[in-house]
Amino acid sequence: MDKIEYRAVIKFLTKEGVAPKDIDDRLRAVYGERAPSYATLKLWAKQFKWGRESLEDDPRSGRPIEATAPDMVEKIEHLVHENPRMSKKVLAAMFDVSERSIFRILHEKLLMRKVCSRWIPRTLNKSQKEERVAAAHEFLELLEWNEGDTFERIVTGDETRIYYYDPEPKSQTMEWHKRGEPASKMPRKQIATNK
């Protein structure tokens, strides 16, 4: 039975002059455990006794449930795609909703999670990548030509300097990604004075 129907019964019996305790006994006899609590019954009986006519809940102040409306979800998704590092706190302030609502939208509606960027030592431009591919092909040709002692004649070296660095805090590298998407790659950029 719907709560409006219970309220209708309470209203009718209150208008007949039946005491709240007797109304409770009658509701429990008919509906058993599904009947409203005695405290709820007393509250509604008192309001109907004072002249209330409406069976509906009074409008409440506070945030409406539209925080997770489709247009809100769409706006948040657009903003997160523009800036994946945006925090829940910033989004909540922008839309004037709770952080919990933002969390619910991101996790349940958009199926997103916050992931740390994956560190890579450096990024290569197109010409550097092409040089590496050419060197690999050259080495394969050398290996085909003289397979026997090629590995014995290789001298390796690297001209890369290794610097001390100031790492970004983990929280600064976190980004929103859809579930299943890989984390973005981020090269170390902040170089300190020491080598």
Side-chain angles (χ1 to χ4, degrees), residues 4-171:
I4 300 297
E5 294 176 41
Y6 289 124
R7 291 175 190 169
V9 172
I10 295 167
K11 180 179 178 181
F12 175 76
L13 292 174
T14 301
K15 296 243 183 211
E16 275 193 339
V18 180
K21 182 64 180 151
D22 296 331
I23 296 172
D24 185 51
D25 293 339
R26 289 173 74 175
L27 284 173
R28 296 247 175 254
V30 175
Y31 301 112
E33 293 299 315
R34 294 177 304 163
S37 69
Y38 182 64
T40 302
L41 187 144
K42 273 182 26 180
L43 174 83
W44 281 98
K46 185 191 315 181
Q47 290 186 19
F48 292 133
K49 194 173 188 176
W50 288 350
R52 180 183 177 122
E53 293 298 321
S54 172
L55 301 175
E56 300 289 330
D57 288 322
D58 291 333
R60 299 180 188 173
S61 63
R63 176 129 324 269
I65 300 174
E66 289 87 27
T68 57
D71 61 327
M72 178 76 81
V73 173
E74 192 176 310
K75 289 176 187 174
I76 290 173
E77 183 176 22
H78 178 71
L79 278 173
V80 168
H81 280 300
E82 282 182 2
N83 182 5
R85 290 190 177 191
M86 197 169 275
S87 69
K88 290 183 299 190
K89 187 179 277 189
V90 171
L91 287 168
M94 287 175 75
F95 291 101
D96 194 28
V97 295
S98 69
E99 285 186 50
R100 182 72 188 148
S101 295
I102 296 293
F103 179 83
R104 197 172 295 122
I105 289 169
L106 290 168
H107 284 269
E108 295 172 11
K109 304 273 186 194
L110 298 175
L111 302 175
M112 294 183 133
R113 59 192 177 111
K114 202 130 191 203
V115 180
C116 289
S117 296
R118 205 179 77 185
W119 180 84
I120 56 174
R122 70 184 107 157
T123 53
L124 301 175
N125 61 33
K126 189 174 180 177
S127 64
Q128 290 170 327
K129 289 178 184 178
E130 289 171 356
E131 284 179 28
R132 286 190 174 207
V133 169
H137 283 296
E138 190 177 316
F139 179 72
L140 287 173
E141 288 174 11
L142 181 64
L143 190 60
E144 287 175 7
W145 178 69
N146 188 2
E147 193 173 322
D149 64 337
T150 302
F151 288 108
E152 294 172 6
R153 293 185 294 133
I154 294 177
V155 178
T156 60
D158 192 359
E159 296 177 10
T160 304
R161 291 184 179 194
I162 299 174
Y163 293 87
Y164 291 115
Y165 65 97
D166 301 324
E168 272 185 314
K170 191 173 184 179
S171 61

